[in-house]
Structures are given as structure tokens and as C-alpha cells.
Amino acid sequence: MNSSKSLSSVKTCSEDKWAASTVTSGTETSIQKDIRFSEVALVDRDDVVRCIEHRSRAFQGWRPDLHIERLRTQRYGVGGHYKHHYDWSGGSREADRVSTFMVYVDADCEGGGTEFPRIKMPNVEKGRWCEFLEYEKNGPEGGNGNDFGVTFKPIKGNAVFWENLGPDGRGYEQTFHAGLPVLRGEKVGLNIWSWGPARRT
Ligand SMILES: O=C(O)CCC(=O)C(=O)O
Ligand SMILES: [Fe+2]
């Protein structure tokens, strides 16, 4: 099955499962729409989902001992957003979310980009960056590489991959990110989180 069919299957399977997203702080889990306003669905592990899990592990072939967390889709309507946060929890010495795939399952929307305020904007005048990144063309040089803040455009079928932990097992500060507010339409994301050794000393 190709990627686009897999993603529409994942979306269809989410339809009867949407529930308000929660945030967890310490041992408390609650709905806090000012922090995270969306709905999530825990996706059943059918053959399509197992295939996505397999491909996600294979993509990270250099890492042994990866465990893929149960896949979740996330739906944002107008005003939906997720404030800046890290995906790693730092809660365990043994294991943590070592990496993230943020997949745009559906993105018939304005706004809704995934923003990394602590990453430097590459020079969007070069290469293909401007296809994937939002930027303000401020001044004659445009995105001249000195500006902090990178926003990935939500483009259906695309995915952003990043590593959350460095080799010493500590969380990368640069992975601080947000799902920016959706201004029009709807965005559906798929979170694929890989767990591995946190190796904290
Ligand atoms: O929706 C996004 O762009 C980001 C979502 C996110 O960061 C998350 O679910 O952890
Ligand atoms: Fe996140």
C-alpha cells in the first residue's frame, strides 16, 4: 500500500475515536485548551499501522532497540494549536521518546505549521527550503540564515523527523516546538514517537 493510501486509512480509522486532547504535567493529566486545543485518536494496530511502524523503525536503522509508541492522530479545527513544548519527558532514566515523526495526514488549512523557534532559518533563497518552510521576507536578503525560528508548512503527505535526545541521553533544547494555530480549515497530524534508551548518567 502506498503512503497516501496508508494515511487515508489511518484517518478513516480515527473517525469514531476523536476525544479532546489532554496535557500531562507531573502526575496530572487534564484538558487545557490554552495549551493544547485539538482532538486525538488512538489508532488501532491494523496491518497498515504495523507497516507504518515497521517503516518508521527501518528509517532509523542506526538505532537498535526502538519501540514505537501506539500511534495517535491529532485533529485541529480553526483555533486549534499546541503551545511550545518538548516531546521528550525526561521522566525516566531508562527510556524516553528518542525521536519524533510529525506526519501531515491532512492539511486543507491555513496556518497550522510546526514551529521550531530555537532553530536557525536556513537560507531559503537556496535549494528547495522555501517549498517546505514558511518565512517572512523581511528586508532585501529575505531568510538570510541569521534568523531564528523555522516553521514547517503543513503539507499533506509530508513528515518532519527529528531526534529529541543527544548521544548523552539529554534532550536537545533546539527541539522546542509548537503546532501553530489553524486559521482556516482542518489539519490532521500523525504522531510517531520512538522510544529508546535515555542513557542518563
Ligand atoms: O501539530 C503540530 O504541528 C505539532 C504537534 C506536536 O508537537 C505534538 O503532537 O507533540
Ligand atoms: Fe510535539
Side-chain angles (χ1 to χ4, degrees):
M1 191 177 278
N2 68 30
S3 303
S4 124
K5 279 194 180 151
S6 304
L7 294 183
S8 57
S9 155
V10 165
K11 191 183 171 207
T12 308
C13 293
S14 308
E15 286 308 337
D16 58 348
K17 299 189 177 63
W18 296 120
S21 298
T22 56
V23 288
T24 301
S25 159
T27 53
E28 297 264 303
T29 297
S30 58
I31 297 172
Q32 293 191 48
K33 292 183 178 172
D34 54 328
I35 297 178
R36 186 183 191 195
F37 182 30
S38 64
E39 293 167 295
V40 287
L42 190 63
V43 181
D44 289 334
R45 289 189 77 208
D46 62 8
D47 286 348
V48 172
V49 166
R50 281 174 212 276
C51 177
I52 293 172
E53 291 173 354
H54 175 77
R55 289 175 63 188
S56 305
R57 262 196 306 272
F59 181 89
Q60 306 172 75
W62 65 93
R63 281 189 190 272
D65 310 329
L66 278 187
H67 168 77
I68 309 285
E69 186 174 331
R70 278 286 298 280
L71 300 194
R72 284 188 183 80
T73 44
Q74 197 171 173
R75 178 167 76 173
Y76 302 83
V78 173
H81 71 107
Y82 193 169
K83 277 231 163 97
H84 294 97
H85 64 277
Y86 298 108
D87 285 351
W88 43 273
S89 75
S92 158
R93 285 176 183 279
E94 275 77 47
D96 211 325
R97 286 172 172 162
V98 295
S99 71
T100 299
F101 288 92
M102 171 70 219
V103 187
Y104 304 115
V105 173
D106 228 340
D108 186 2
C109 63
E110 274 167 33
T114 308
E115 188 203 27
F116 293 79
R118 295 180 183 164
I119 293 181
K120 262 193 172 183
M121 192 73 177
N123 187 341
V124 289
E125 305 290 314
K126 290 192 182 149
R128 294 175 60 201
W129 285 116
C130 60
E131 271 179 60
F132 308 113
L133 302 180
E134 278 168 21
Y135 71 104
E136 304 258 330
K137 202 172 165 72
N138 42 10
E141 290 167 297
N144 62 11
N146 295 323
D147 318 319
F148 277 92
V150 167
T151 300
F152 287 84
K153 297 178 188 176
I155 299 172
K156 183 175 173 168
N158 280 7
V160 188
F161 172 81
W162 67 90
E163 303 218 328
N164 291 305
L165 305 185
D168 63 355
R170 285 175 198 280
Y172 282 124
E173 300 285 319
Q174 299 96 313
T175 65
F176 198 56
H177 62 281
L180 295 180
V182 169
L183 306 174
R184 181 199 61 77
E186 186 179 276
K187 164 182 153 195
V188 177
L190 171 67
N191 298 116
I192 308 174
W193 284 304
S194 301
W195 284 72
R199 292 195 300 265
R200 284 190 176 77
T201 47

